[in-house]
Amino acid sequence: MDAVNGLLSGFQTAITPTNLFWLLVGCLLGTLVGILPGLGPPATISILLPLATGFDPATGLIMMAGIYYGAKYGGSTTSILMNIPGESASVVTCLDGYQMAKKGRAGQALGIAAIASFVAGTIGVIGLTFLAPLAAKVAVNFGPPEYSALMLFALLLVIMLAGDSLLKGFISMFIGLFLATIGTDLFSGEQRFTGGEIELAGGIEFIALSVGIFAIGEVLVNLEEKTQKPLFAVPKKFRELLPSGADIKRSTPAMLQGGVLGFLIGVLPGAGSTVASFVSYIVAKRTSKHPEEFGKGAIEGVAAPEAANNSETGGAMVPLLTMGIPGSGTGAILLGALVLYGLNPGPLLFSEHSDVVWPIIASMYLGNLALLVMNLPMVPFFAKLLNTPYKVLYPGILLISVVGVFSVNFSIFDVWLLVIFGLLGYVMRKLDIPPAPLVLAFVLGPIAENSIRQSLLLSDNSPMIYLQRPISAALIGLAVVLLLLLTFGRKSRKVREQMLESEV
Protein backbone atom coordinates (compact mmCIF):
# COMPACT_ATOMS: atom_id res chain seq x y z
CA MET A 1 0.00 0.00 0.00
CA ASP A 2 2.93 2.36 0.59
CA ALA A 3 3.86 2.09 -3.09
CA VAL A 4 0.27 2.78 -4.20
CA ASN A 5 -0.06 5.80 -1.90
CA GLY A 6 3.35 7.10 -2.98
CA LEU A 7 2.43 6.69 -6.66
CA LEU A 8 -0.90 8.50 -6.24
CA SER A 9 0.83 11.42 -4.52
CA GLY A 10 3.44 11.37 -7.29
CA PHE A 11 0.74 11.71 -9.95
CA GLN A 12 -0.66 14.75 -8.13
CA THR A 13 2.71 16.46 -8.49
CA ALA A 14 3.51 15.19 -11.98
CA ILE A 15 0.27 16.43 -13.58
CA THR A 16 0.78 20.06 -12.61
CA PRO A 17 1.03 22.27 -15.73
CA THR A 18 4.70 23.10 -15.15
CA ASN A 19 5.79 19.50 -14.69
CA LEU A 20 3.69 18.30 -17.64
CA PHE A 21 5.20 20.96 -19.88
CA TRP A 22 8.80 20.05 -19.05
CA LEU A 23 7.95 16.35 -19.28
CA LEU A 24 6.77 16.88 -22.86
CA VAL A 25 9.86 18.99 -23.61
CA GLY A 26 12.09 16.19 -22.30
CA CYS A 27 10.24 13.52 -24.30
CA LEU A 28 10.45 15.59 -27.50
CA LEU A 29 14.15 16.36 -27.02
CA GLY A 30 14.83 12.70 -26.23
CA THR A 31 13.03 11.56 -29.38
CA LEU A 32 15.03 13.99 -31.53
CA VAL A 33 18.27 12.91 -29.86
CA GLY A 34 17.38 9.26 -30.52
CA ILE A 35 16.65 9.94 -34.19
CA LEU A 36 19.88 11.87 -34.79
CA PRO A 37 22.93 9.62 -34.21
CA GLY A 38 25.88 11.13 -32.44
CA LEU A 39 24.70 13.46 -29.67
CA GLY A 40 23.12 10.89 -27.35
CA PRO A 41 21.20 11.25 -24.06
CA PRO A 42 24.28 11.71 -21.78
CA ALA A 43 25.54 14.72 -23.76
CA THR A 44 22.04 16.22 -24.05
CA ILE A 45 21.33 15.91 -20.32
CA SER A 46 24.78 17.32 -19.55
CA ILE A 47 24.11 20.35 -21.77
CA LEU A 48 20.74 20.98 -20.09
CA LEU A 49 21.94 20.30 -16.56
CA PRO A 50 22.83 23.95 -15.82
CA LEU A 51 19.33 24.94 -16.99
CA ALA A 52 17.68 22.24 -14.88
CA THR A 53 19.41 23.36 -11.69
CA GLY A 54 17.19 26.43 -11.73
CA PHE A 55 14.12 24.22 -11.53
CA ASP A 56 12.45 22.52 -8.61
CA PRO A 57 14.22 19.12 -8.14
CA ALA A 58 11.15 17.15 -9.18
CA THR A 59 10.65 19.28 -12.33
CA GLY A 60 14.31 19.12 -13.40
CA LEU A 61 14.58 15.36 -12.88
CA ILE A 62 11.25 14.75 -14.64
CA MET A 63 12.58 16.56 -17.73
CA MET A 64 15.90 14.67 -17.68
CA ALA A 65 14.14 11.33 -17.23
CA GLY A 66 11.97 12.23 -20.23
CA ILE A 67 15.10 12.74 -22.32
CA TYR A 68 16.41 9.36 -21.10
CA TYR A 69 13.50 7.18 -22.16
CA GLY A 70 12.48 9.47 -25.04
CA ALA A 71 15.80 8.70 -26.71
CA LYS A 72 14.99 4.98 -26.47
CA TYR A 73 11.84 5.61 -28.53
CA GLY A 74 13.61 7.71 -31.15
CA GLY A 75 16.52 5.31 -31.58
CA SER A 76 14.40 2.86 -33.57
CA THR A 77 13.58 5.36 -36.33
CA THR A 78 16.92 5.56 -38.13
CA SER A 79 17.60 1.89 -37.39
CA ILE A 80 14.49 0.90 -39.32
CA LEU A 81 14.54 3.53 -42.05
CA MET A 82 18.27 3.83 -42.81
CA ASN A 83 19.98 0.93 -41.04
CA ILE A 84 21.73 3.49 -38.81
CA PRO A 85 21.84 2.42 -35.14
CA GLY A 86 22.11 5.62 -33.09
CA GLU A 87 23.23 3.64 -30.02
CA SER A 88 24.35 0.10 -29.28
CA ALA A 89 20.89 -1.04 -28.14
CA SER A 90 19.47 -0.17 -31.58
CA VAL A 91 21.82 -2.57 -33.39
CA VAL A 92 19.44 -5.51 -32.93
CA THR A 93 16.48 -3.50 -34.22
CA CYS A 94 18.36 -3.04 -37.52
CA LEU A 95 18.35 -6.79 -38.18
CA ASP A 96 14.63 -7.08 -38.94
CA GLY A 97 13.47 -3.46 -38.91
CA TYR A 98 15.52 -2.49 -41.96
CA GLN A 99 14.51 -5.68 -43.77
CA MET A 100 10.85 -4.81 -43.13
CA ALA A 101 11.48 -1.34 -44.59
CA LYS A 102 13.01 -2.88 -47.71
CA LYS A 103 9.84 -4.96 -48.11
CA GLY A 104 7.65 -1.87 -47.95
CA ARG A 105 6.66 -2.40 -44.32
CA ALA A 106 8.52 0.50 -42.73
CA GLY A 107 5.28 1.90 -41.32
CA GLN A 108 4.41 -1.37 -39.62
CA ALA A 109 7.93 -1.64 -38.21
CA LEU A 110 7.87 1.91 -36.84
CA GLY A 111 4.37 1.42 -35.46
CA ILE A 112 5.12 -1.82 -33.69
CA ALA A 113 8.33 -0.30 -32.29
CA ALA A 114 6.30 2.54 -30.77
CA ILE A 115 3.63 0.18 -29.39
CA ALA A 116 6.21 -2.26 -27.99
CA SER A 117 8.08 0.64 -26.41
CA PHE A 118 4.90 1.84 -24.70
CA VAL A 119 3.83 -1.59 -23.46
CA ALA A 120 7.27 -2.65 -22.22
CA GLY A 121 8.13 0.80 -20.90
CA THR A 122 4.99 0.61 -18.76
CA ILE A 123 5.99 -2.88 -17.58
CA GLY A 124 9.38 -1.50 -16.58
CA VAL A 125 7.86 1.37 -14.60
CA ILE A 126 5.43 -1.02 -12.86
CA GLY A 127 8.43 -3.12 -11.89
CA LEU A 128 10.20 -0.02 -10.62
CA THR A 129 7.10 0.93 -8.59
CA PHE A 130 6.46 -2.35 -6.83
CA LEU A 131 9.61 -4.49 -7.12
CA ALA A 132 12.41 -1.99 -6.51
CA PRO A 133 13.42 -3.21 -3.01
CA LEU A 134 13.39 -6.89 -4.03
CA ALA A 135 15.22 -6.26 -7.30
CA ALA A 136 17.84 -4.19 -5.50
CA LYS A 137 18.64 -7.15 -3.24
CA VAL A 138 19.24 -9.34 -6.33
CA ALA A 139 21.53 -6.74 -7.90
CA VAL A 140 23.64 -6.55 -4.71
CA ASN A 141 24.63 -10.22 -5.18
CA PHE A 142 26.29 -9.48 -8.53
CA GLY A 143 30.03 -8.93 -8.24
CA PRO A 144 32.84 -9.23 -10.81
CA PRO A 145 32.64 -13.06 -11.05
CA GLU A 146 28.91 -12.93 -11.75
CA TYR A 147 29.37 -10.24 -14.38
CA SER A 148 32.20 -12.24 -15.99
CA ALA A 149 29.96 -15.29 -16.29
CA LEU A 150 27.04 -13.19 -17.52
CA MET A 151 29.17 -11.58 -20.23
CA LEU A 152 30.54 -14.97 -21.30
CA PHE A 153 26.98 -16.23 -21.64
CA ALA A 154 26.00 -13.04 -23.50
CA LEU A 155 28.92 -13.33 -25.96
CA LEU A 156 27.85 -16.87 -26.82
CA LEU A 157 24.33 -15.62 -27.36
CA VAL A 158 25.79 -13.13 -29.84
CA ILE A 159 26.86 -16.08 -32.02
CA MET A 160 23.21 -17.02 -32.38
CA LEU A 161 22.77 -13.92 -34.52
CA ALA A 162 25.22 -15.36 -37.05
CA GLY A 163 22.70 -17.20 -39.19
CA ASP A 164 23.68 -20.57 -40.64
CA SER A 165 27.48 -20.29 -40.38
CA LEU A 166 28.86 -20.67 -36.86
CA LEU A 167 32.41 -20.04 -38.13
CA LYS A 168 31.46 -16.69 -39.68
CA GLY A 169 29.71 -15.74 -36.46
CA PHE A 170 32.88 -16.43 -34.47
CA ILE A 171 34.99 -14.49 -37.00
CA SER A 172 32.70 -11.49 -36.67
CA MET A 173 32.68 -11.70 -32.88
CA PHE A 174 36.48 -11.93 -32.60
CA ILE A 175 36.94 -8.92 -34.87
CA GLY A 176 34.66 -7.00 -32.52
CA LEU A 177 36.56 -8.20 -29.45
CA PHE A 178 39.88 -7.17 -30.99
CA LEU A 179 38.58 -3.71 -31.87
CA ALA A 180 37.34 -3.35 -28.29
CA THR A 181 40.90 -3.83 -26.96
CA ILE A 182 42.24 -0.81 -28.89
CA GLY A 183 42.90 2.09 -26.53
CA THR A 184 44.29 2.51 -23.02
CA ASP A 185 44.39 -0.42 -20.61
CA LEU A 186 42.44 0.66 -17.54
CA PHE A 187 44.55 -1.49 -15.22
CA SER A 188 48.08 -0.70 -16.44
CA GLY A 189 47.50 2.66 -18.15
CA GLU A 190 49.41 1.47 -21.22
CA GLN A 191 48.17 1.95 -24.76
CA ARG A 192 47.19 -1.14 -26.75
CA PHE A 193 47.14 -1.51 -30.55
CA THR A 194 46.94 2.25 -31.11
CA GLY A 195 49.89 2.45 -33.51
CA GLY A 196 51.00 5.61 -31.77
CA GLU A 197 47.81 7.46 -32.77
CA ILE A 198 46.81 9.68 -29.85
CA GLU A 199 43.21 9.77 -31.18
CA LEU A 200 42.92 6.04 -30.43
CA ALA A 201 44.07 6.35 -26.82
CA GLY A 202 40.46 6.53 -25.64
CA GLY A 203 39.41 3.65 -27.86
CA ILE A 204 37.33 3.51 -31.02
CA GLU A 205 34.20 5.65 -31.02
CA PHE A 206 31.14 3.38 -31.08
CA ILE A 207 29.09 5.63 -33.36
CA ALA A 208 31.84 5.61 -36.00
CA LEU A 209 32.02 1.82 -35.89
CA SER A 210 28.29 1.04 -35.85
CA VAL A 211 27.25 3.63 -38.44
CA GLY A 212 30.14 2.63 -40.70
CA ILE A 213 29.48 -1.10 -40.47
CA PHE A 214 25.71 -0.86 -40.89
CA ALA A 215 24.80 2.32 -42.79
CA ILE A 216 27.84 2.99 -45.01
CA GLY A 217 28.34 -0.71 -45.71
CA GLU A 218 24.69 -1.03 -46.76
CA VAL A 219 24.90 2.03 -49.04
CA LEU A 220 28.03 0.69 -50.77
CA VAL A 221 26.40 -2.68 -51.41
CA ASN A 222 23.21 -1.14 -52.77
CA LEU A 223 25.11 1.25 -55.04
CA GLU A 224 25.99 -1.81 -57.12
CA GLU A 225 22.31 -2.14 -58.04
CA LYS A 226 21.53 -0.77 -61.49
CA THR A 227 17.89 0.14 -60.81
CA GLN A 228 16.86 3.78 -60.80
CA LYS A 229 13.62 3.10 -58.90
CA PRO A 230 13.05 3.96 -55.23
CA LEU A 231 14.69 1.41 -52.99
CA PHE A 232 11.55 0.97 -50.89
CA ALA A 233 7.93 0.48 -51.88
CA VAL A 234 5.67 2.43 -49.53
CA PRO A 235 1.86 1.92 -49.48
CA LYS A 236 -0.17 5.04 -50.16
CA LYS A 237 -3.15 4.35 -47.85
CA PHE A 238 -2.81 5.54 -44.27
CA ARG A 239 -4.23 2.37 -42.69
CA GLU A 240 -1.71 0.25 -44.60
CA LEU A 241 1.14 2.14 -42.93
CA LEU A 242 0.20 1.02 -39.41
CA PRO A 243 0.43 -2.46 -37.83
CA SER A 244 -2.60 -4.67 -38.41
CA GLY A 245 -4.41 -6.62 -35.72
CA ALA A 246 -2.57 -9.73 -36.90
CA ASP A 247 0.79 -7.93 -36.56
CA ILE A 248 -0.02 -6.85 -33.00
CA LYS A 249 -1.27 -10.33 -32.06
CA ARG A 250 1.88 -11.92 -33.44
CA SER A 251 4.11 -9.42 -31.65
CA THR A 252 2.38 -9.45 -28.25
CA PRO A 253 4.38 -12.40 -26.76
CA ALA A 254 7.63 -10.72 -27.87
CA MET A 255 6.55 -7.43 -26.29
CA LEU A 256 5.64 -9.04 -22.97
CA GLN A 257 8.76 -11.19 -22.63
CA GLY A 258 10.89 -8.26 -23.75
CA GLY A 259 9.27 -6.08 -21.10
CA VAL A 260 10.01 -8.57 -18.32
CA LEU A 261 13.52 -9.48 -19.50
CA GLY A 262 14.45 -5.87 -20.12
CA PHE A 263 13.46 -4.85 -16.59
CA LEU A 264 15.30 -7.77 -14.95
CA ILE A 265 18.48 -7.17 -16.96
CA GLY A 266 18.22 -3.44 -16.39
CA VAL A 267 18.35 -4.03 -12.63
CA LEU A 268 21.88 -5.41 -13.03
CA PRO A 269 24.22 -2.38 -13.07
CA GLY A 270 26.40 -2.40 -16.14
CA ALA A 271 24.42 -4.98 -18.13
CA GLY A 272 22.50 -2.25 -19.93
CA SER A 273 19.99 -2.05 -22.74
CA THR A 274 22.34 -3.66 -25.27
CA VAL A 275 22.35 -6.96 -23.40
CA ALA A 276 18.62 -6.65 -22.74
CA SER A 277 17.73 -6.03 -26.39
CA PHE A 278 19.64 -8.90 -27.93
CA VAL A 279 18.79 -11.43 -25.19
CA SER A 280 15.13 -10.59 -25.78
CA TYR A 281 15.66 -10.98 -29.53
CA ILE A 282 17.22 -14.43 -29.09
CA VAL A 283 14.40 -15.56 -26.77
CA ALA A 284 11.80 -14.30 -29.25
CA LYS A 285 13.52 -16.18 -32.08
CA ARG A 286 13.77 -19.40 -30.08
CA THR A 287 10.13 -19.30 -29.00
CA SER A 288 8.70 -18.14 -32.34
CA LYS A 289 6.65 -20.37 -34.61
CA HIS A 290 8.54 -18.86 -37.55
CA PRO A 291 12.22 -18.61 -36.46
CA GLU A 292 13.35 -18.84 -40.09
CA GLU A 293 11.87 -15.37 -40.73
CA PHE A 294 14.14 -13.64 -38.20
CA GLY A 295 16.78 -11.52 -39.89
CA LYS A 296 14.56 -11.34 -42.99
CA GLY A 297 11.88 -8.98 -41.72
CA ALA A 298 10.06 -10.68 -38.82
CA ILE A 299 7.91 -8.17 -36.97
CA GLU A 300 8.67 -9.92 -33.65
CA GLY A 301 12.32 -9.17 -34.38
CA VAL A 302 11.47 -5.48 -34.03
CA ALA A 303 9.04 -5.80 -31.11
CA ALA A 304 11.31 -7.87 -28.84
CA PRO A 305 14.47 -5.69 -28.78
CA GLU A 306 12.50 -2.43 -28.70
CA ALA A 307 10.44 -3.72 -25.78
CA ALA A 308 13.51 -4.79 -23.81
CA ASN A 309 15.35 -1.57 -24.66
CA ASN A 310 12.57 0.55 -23.16
CA SER A 311 11.70 -1.57 -20.12
CA GLU A 312 15.40 -1.60 -19.23
CA THR A 313 15.02 2.08 -18.35
CA GLY A 314 12.70 1.23 -15.46
CA GLY A 315 15.04 -1.52 -14.31
CA ALA A 316 18.10 0.74 -14.50
CA MET A 317 16.39 3.26 -12.22
CA VAL A 318 16.25 0.63 -9.43
CA PRO A 319 19.98 0.45 -8.58
CA LEU A 320 20.32 4.16 -9.38
CA LEU A 321 17.69 5.25 -6.84
CA THR A 322 18.09 2.52 -4.20
CA MET A 323 21.89 2.09 -4.21
CA GLY A 324 23.31 5.06 -6.13
CA ILE A 325 24.76 2.73 -8.78
CA PRO A 326 24.37 3.99 -12.38
CA GLY A 327 24.11 1.37 -15.09
CA SER A 328 25.14 3.57 -18.01
CA GLY A 329 26.57 6.94 -18.98
CA THR A 330 23.10 8.45 -18.84
CA GLY A 331 22.58 6.93 -15.40
CA ALA A 332 25.83 8.50 -14.23
CA ILE A 333 24.63 11.95 -15.37
CA LEU A 334 21.30 11.44 -13.60
CA LEU A 335 23.18 10.38 -10.47
CA GLY A 336 25.16 13.60 -10.65
CA ALA A 337 21.91 15.54 -11.01
CA LEU A 338 20.50 13.88 -7.90
CA VAL A 339 23.58 14.79 -5.89
CA LEU A 340 23.51 18.31 -7.31
CA TYR A 341 19.99 18.70 -5.94
CA GLY A 342 21.17 17.49 -2.53
CA LEU A 343 19.52 14.07 -2.85
CA ASN A 344 21.60 11.08 -1.74
CA PRO A 345 20.54 7.91 -3.59
CA GLY A 346 20.16 4.91 -1.30
CA PRO A 347 17.64 2.87 0.69
CA LEU A 348 16.43 5.99 2.55
CA LEU A 349 15.76 8.03 -0.60
CA PHE A 350 12.17 6.80 -0.92
CA SER A 351 11.33 7.71 2.69
CA GLU A 352 13.31 10.95 3.04
CA HIS A 353 12.59 12.44 -0.39
CA SER A 354 9.33 10.81 -1.45
CA ASP A 355 8.14 14.20 -2.73
CA VAL A 356 10.78 13.96 -5.48
CA VAL A 357 11.10 10.22 -6.17
CA TRP A 358 7.41 9.38 -6.63
CA PRO A 359 6.71 12.26 -9.06
CA ILE A 360 9.62 11.03 -11.19
CA ILE A 361 8.19 7.50 -11.26
CA ALA A 362 4.66 8.79 -11.95
CA SER A 363 5.98 10.95 -14.79
CA MET A 364 7.41 7.86 -16.47
CA TYR A 365 3.88 6.42 -16.83
CA LEU A 366 2.74 9.72 -18.37
CA GLY A 367 5.87 9.98 -20.50
CA ASN A 368 5.37 6.55 -22.06
CA LEU A 369 1.83 7.51 -23.03
CA ALA A 370 2.95 10.90 -24.35
CA LEU A 371 5.65 9.28 -26.49
CA LEU A 372 3.15 6.84 -27.99
CA VAL A 373 0.79 9.71 -28.88
CA MET A 374 3.69 11.76 -30.30
CA ASN A 375 5.28 8.95 -32.32
CA LEU A 376 2.39 7.05 -33.92
CA PRO A 377 1.10 10.03 -35.95
CA MET A 378 4.62 10.49 -37.32
CA VAL A 379 4.82 6.92 -38.69
CA PRO A 380 3.27 7.70 -42.13
CA PHE A 381 5.54 10.75 -42.53
CA PHE A 382 8.71 8.81 -41.74
CA ALA A 383 7.64 5.85 -43.89
CA LYS A 384 6.95 8.04 -46.93
CA LEU A 385 10.46 9.47 -46.70
CA LEU A 386 11.58 6.11 -48.08
CA ASN A 387 9.60 6.62 -51.29
CA THR A 388 12.62 8.50 -52.59
CA PRO A 389 14.98 7.57 -55.45
CA TYR A 390 18.25 6.19 -54.19
CA LYS A 391 20.15 9.09 -55.85
CA VAL A 392 18.52 11.34 -53.26
CA LEU A 393 18.21 8.89 -50.36
CA TYR A 394 21.82 7.68 -50.25
CA PRO A 395 23.47 11.12 -50.13
CA GLY A 396 21.08 11.96 -47.28
CA ILE A 397 22.14 8.82 -45.39
CA LEU A 398 25.82 9.64 -45.95
CA LEU A 399 25.31 13.24 -44.78
CA ILE A 400 23.50 12.17 -41.59
CA SER A 401 26.20 9.58 -40.94
CA VAL A 402 29.11 11.99 -41.33
CA VAL A 403 27.47 14.78 -39.31
CA GLY A 404 26.42 12.36 -36.57
CA VAL A 405 29.90 10.87 -36.22
CA PHE A 406 31.67 14.24 -36.38
CA SER A 407 29.37 15.77 -33.73
CA VAL A 408 30.43 13.27 -31.05
CA ASN A 409 34.00 14.54 -30.61
CA PHE A 410 34.23 17.10 -33.45
CA SER A 411 37.01 14.93 -34.85
CA ILE A 412 37.95 14.41 -38.49
CA PHE A 413 39.78 11.28 -37.34
CA ASP A 414 36.40 9.75 -36.39
CA VAL A 415 35.13 10.51 -39.90
CA TRP A 416 38.08 8.60 -41.37
CA LEU A 417 37.23 5.73 -39.02
CA LEU A 418 33.69 5.90 -40.40
CA VAL A 419 35.07 5.44 -43.92
CA ILE A 420 37.28 2.51 -42.85
CA PHE A 421 34.46 0.73 -41.06
CA GLY A 422 32.15 1.43 -44.00
CA LEU A 423 34.59 -0.45 -46.26
CA LEU A 424 34.82 -3.23 -43.65
CA GLY A 425 31.02 -3.47 -43.56
CA TYR A 426 30.97 -3.70 -47.37
CA VAL A 427 33.56 -6.50 -47.42
CA MET A 428 31.70 -8.40 -44.68
CA ARG A 429 28.48 -8.25 -46.66
CA LYS A 430 30.20 -9.46 -49.82
CA LEU A 431 31.66 -12.38 -47.84
CA ASP A 432 28.32 -12.98 -46.09
CA ILE A 433 29.82 -12.38 -42.63
CA PRO A 434 27.13 -11.04 -40.26
CA PRO A 435 27.94 -7.57 -38.85
CA ALA A 436 25.75 -7.76 -35.71
CA PRO A 437 28.10 -10.08 -33.71
CA LEU A 438 31.00 -7.69 -34.38
CA VAL A 439 29.21 -4.61 -33.06
CA LEU A 440 27.69 -6.34 -30.04
CA ALA A 441 31.00 -8.00 -29.12
CA PHE A 442 32.63 -4.56 -29.35
CA VAL A 443 30.17 -3.29 -26.72
CA LEU A 444 30.29 -6.32 -24.43
CA GLY A 445 34.03 -6.99 -24.71
CA PRO A 446 35.30 -4.26 -22.34
CA ILE A 447 32.71 -5.18 -19.70
CA ALA A 448 33.76 -8.83 -19.92
CA GLU A 449 37.50 -8.02 -19.80
CA ASN A 450 37.21 -5.72 -16.78
CA SER A 451 35.03 -8.20 -14.88
CA ILE A 452 37.37 -11.11 -15.57
CA ARG A 453 40.47 -9.17 -14.48
CA GLN A 454 38.74 -7.89 -11.34
CA SER A 455 37.65 -11.44 -10.50
CA LEU A 456 41.19 -12.78 -10.88
CA LEU A 457 42.54 -9.98 -8.70
CA LEU A 458 40.03 -10.91 -5.99
CA SER A 459 40.96 -14.61 -6.17
CA ASP A 460 44.74 -14.22 -6.49
CA ASN A 461 44.52 -15.42 -10.12
CA SER A 462 42.52 -18.54 -9.24
CA PRO A 463 39.72 -19.35 -11.75
CA MET A 464 37.99 -21.43 -9.07
CA ILE A 465 36.26 -18.26 -7.86
CA TYR A 466 33.71 -18.76 -10.65
CA LEU A 467 32.73 -22.19 -9.36
CA GLN A 468 32.71 -21.19 -5.70
CA ARG A 469 29.91 -18.65 -6.21
CA PRO A 470 26.48 -20.11 -7.05
CA ILE A 471 25.30 -17.49 -9.52
CA SER A 472 28.50 -17.43 -11.57
CA ALA A 473 28.70 -21.25 -11.51
CA ALA A 474 25.12 -21.50 -12.79
CA LEU A 475 25.79 -18.97 -15.58
CA ILE A 476 28.97 -20.79 -16.64
CA GLY A 477 27.02 -24.04 -16.71
CA LEU A 478 24.43 -22.42 -18.98
CA ALA A 479 27.23 -21.08 -21.20
CA VAL A 480 28.70 -24.60 -21.58
CA VAL A 481 25.29 -26.02 -22.45
CA LEU A 482 24.74 -23.23 -24.97
CA LEU A 483 28.14 -23.84 -26.58
CA LEU A 484 27.32 -27.55 -26.95
CA LEU A 485 23.95 -26.73 -28.48
CA LEU A 486 25.54 -24.27 -30.88
CA THR A 487 28.19 -26.82 -31.95
CA PHE A 488 26.28 -30.11 -32.10
CA GLY A 489 22.78 -28.77 -32.61
CA ARG A 490 23.72 -27.18 -35.93
CA LYS A 491 25.62 -30.25 -37.04
CA SER A 492 22.64 -32.52 -36.36
CA ARG A 493 20.34 -30.09 -38.17
CA LYS A 494 22.60 -30.11 -41.24
CA VAL A 495 22.67 -33.94 -41.18
CA ARG A 496 18.86 -34.03 -41.11
CA GLU A 497 18.66 -31.55 -43.97
CA GLN A 498 21.11 -33.61 -46.06
CA MET A 499 19.11 -36.78 -45.38
CA LEU A 500 15.90 -35.08 -46.47
CA GLU A 501 17.57 -33.80 -49.65
CA SER A 502 18.89 -37.28 -50.47
CA GLU A 503 15.40 -38.77 -50.01
CA VAL A 504 13.96 -36.22 -52.39
Side-chain angles (χ1 to χ4, degrees):
M1 290 300 294
D2 289 340
V4 175
N5 292 333
L7 188 61
L8 291 175
S9 67
F11 273 113
Q12 290 178 348
T13 303
I15 61 176
T16 60
T18 300
N19 286 337
L20 276 178
F21 173 76
W22 288 110
L23 168 65
L24 293 175
V25 169
C27 290
L28 180 60
L29 284 173
T31 302
L32 294 175
V33 166
I35 290 173
L36 299 173
L39 188 58
T44 306
I45 294 175
S46 298
I47 292 169
L48 295 175
L49 194 56
L51 171 66
T53 54
F55 295 155
D56 177 83
T59 303
L61 291 167
I62 283 172
M63 182 188 69
M64 286 186 276
I67 295 172
Y68 186 15
Y69 51 80
K72 299 291 185 73
Y73 267 75
S76 62
T77 304
T78 50
S79 297
I80 292 169
L81 298 182
M82 300 179 179
N83 206 31
I84 300 177
E87 57 176 353
S88 57
S90 300
V91 169
V92 187
T93 305
C94 291
L95 301 179
D96 284 277
Y98 186 67
Q99 294 302 318
M100 286 185 67
K102 292 175 74 172
K103 294 179 179 179
R105 303 197 72 212
Q108 289 85 345
L110 290 165
I112 209 67
I115 294 169
S117 298
F118 168 73
V119 171
T122 303
I123 291 174
V125 184
I126 291 173
L128 171 62
T129 304
F130 297 101
L131 301 177
L134 178 63
K137 291 180 181 178
V138 174
V140 169
N141 292 323
F142 264 69
E146 286 74 22
Y147 277 111
S148 302
L150 177 63
M151 289 303 109
L152 174 63
F153 183 65
L155 285 170
L156 287 176
L157 284 177
V158 168
I159 301 301
M160 299 178 74
L161 301 176
D164 294 329
S165 175
L166 190 63
L167 175 61
K168 290 180 179 179
F170 270 110
I171 290 173
S172 182
M173 185 186 75
F174 282 119
I175 293 174
L177 290 176
F178 168 72
L179 293 174
T181 63
I182 296 175
T184 302
D185 186 340
L186 291 178
F187 288 80
S188 66
E190 296 180 358
Q191 293 187 13
R192 302 183 300 188
F193 308 115
T194 61
E197 293 288 342
I198 191 65
E199 289 90 347
L200 290 175
I204 292 173
E205 178 58 51
F206 169 77
I207 295 294
L209 181 138
S210 62
V211 173
I213 292 288
F214 281 93
I216 306 301
E218 184 73 19
V219 167
L220 292 176
V221 169
N222 285 311
L223 280 175
E224 296 179 349
E225 300 292 333
K226 301 299 183 182
T227 179
Q228 300 292 319
K229 297 179 180 179
L231 181 63
F232 305 103
V234 180
K236 295 182 180 179
K237 295 182 180 179
F238 177 81
R239 66 175 179 271
E240 294 177 354
L241 287 166
L242 296 175
S244 64
D247 287 333
I248 294 175
K249 181 179 178 181
R250 181 171 171 174
S251 302
T252 297
M255 292 184 204
L256 297 177
Q257 66 86 2
V260 174
L261 277 176
F263 173 78
L264 295 176
I265 293 174
V267 169
L268 305 175
S273 53
T274 305
V275 176
S277 61
F278 90 78
V279 168
S280 177
Y281 181 88
I282 294 299
V283 171
K285 182 178 180 180
R286 290 296 168 183
T287 57
S288 173
K289 295 179 181 178
H290 308 282
E292 72 282 355
E293 296 181 11
F294 278 69
K296 301 175 182 177
I299 197 164
E300 309 100 298
V302 176
E306 282 303 305
N309 183 21
N310 284 270
S311 65
E312 184 271 343
T313 303
M317 295 293 281
V318 174
L320 178 65
L321 296 176
T322 60
M323 296 182 289
I325 301 176
S328 64
T330 308
I333 302 296
L334 289 175
L335 176 63
L338 286 168
V339 175
L340 197 62
Y341 281 120
L343 308 174
N344 295 317
L348 299 179
L349 183 65
F350 279 78
S351 59
E352 294 181 351
H353 299 284
S354 59
D355 58 326
V356 176
V357 175
W358 286 113
I360 296 172
I361 295 174
S363 75
M364 294 177 73
Y365 287 94
L366 299 174
N368 277 315
L369 180 59
L371 284 164
L372 181 66
V373 174
M374 289 166 55
N375 280 273
L376 275 182
M378 296 298 291
V379 165
F381 170 74
F382 283 130
K384 287 183 178 180
L385 287 178
L386 296 180
N387 197 12
T388 307
Y390 78 91
K391 290 188 294 185
V392 177
L393 185 64
Y394 288 158
I397 293 175
L398 293 174
L399 178 63
I400 291 173
S401 300
V402 172
V403 172
V405 169
F406 180 76
S407 67
V408 177
N409 298 312
F410 298 100
S411 169
I412 293 296
F413 185 82
D414 286 347
V415 176
W416 283 112
L417 286 180
L418 173 71
V419 174
I420 293 170
F421 289 126
L423 294 174
L424 176 61
Y426 171 78
V427 172
M428 291 178 69
R429 279 169 174 77
K430 300 300 289 185
L431 297 177
D432 199 26
I433 297 175
L438 184 157
V439 179
L440 291 170
F442 177 81
V443 175
L444 300 177
I447 304 174
E449 180 189 5
N450 291 338
S451 299
I452 290 171
R453 294 174 72 173
Q454 287 171 358
S455 300
L456 294 176
L457 285 174
L458 289 173
S459 65
D460 197 21
N461 292 325
S462 172
M464 293 303 294
I465 189 173
Y466 296 108
L467 302 179
Q468 292 168 353
R469 300 172 68 129
I471 296 177
S472 61
L475 288 170
I476 287 177
L478 287 173
V480 171
V481 171
L482 179 61
L483 183 60
L484 293 174
L485 289 174
L486 284 172
T487 304
F488 297 106
R490 295 188 181 220
K491 287 183 178 179
S492 62
R493 187 183 68 184
K494 288 183 179 179
V495 169
R496 288 196 301 269
E497 291 175 353
Q498 290 173 356
M499 291 177 65
L500 288 172
E501 290 176 0
S502 62
E503 291 176 2
V504 174

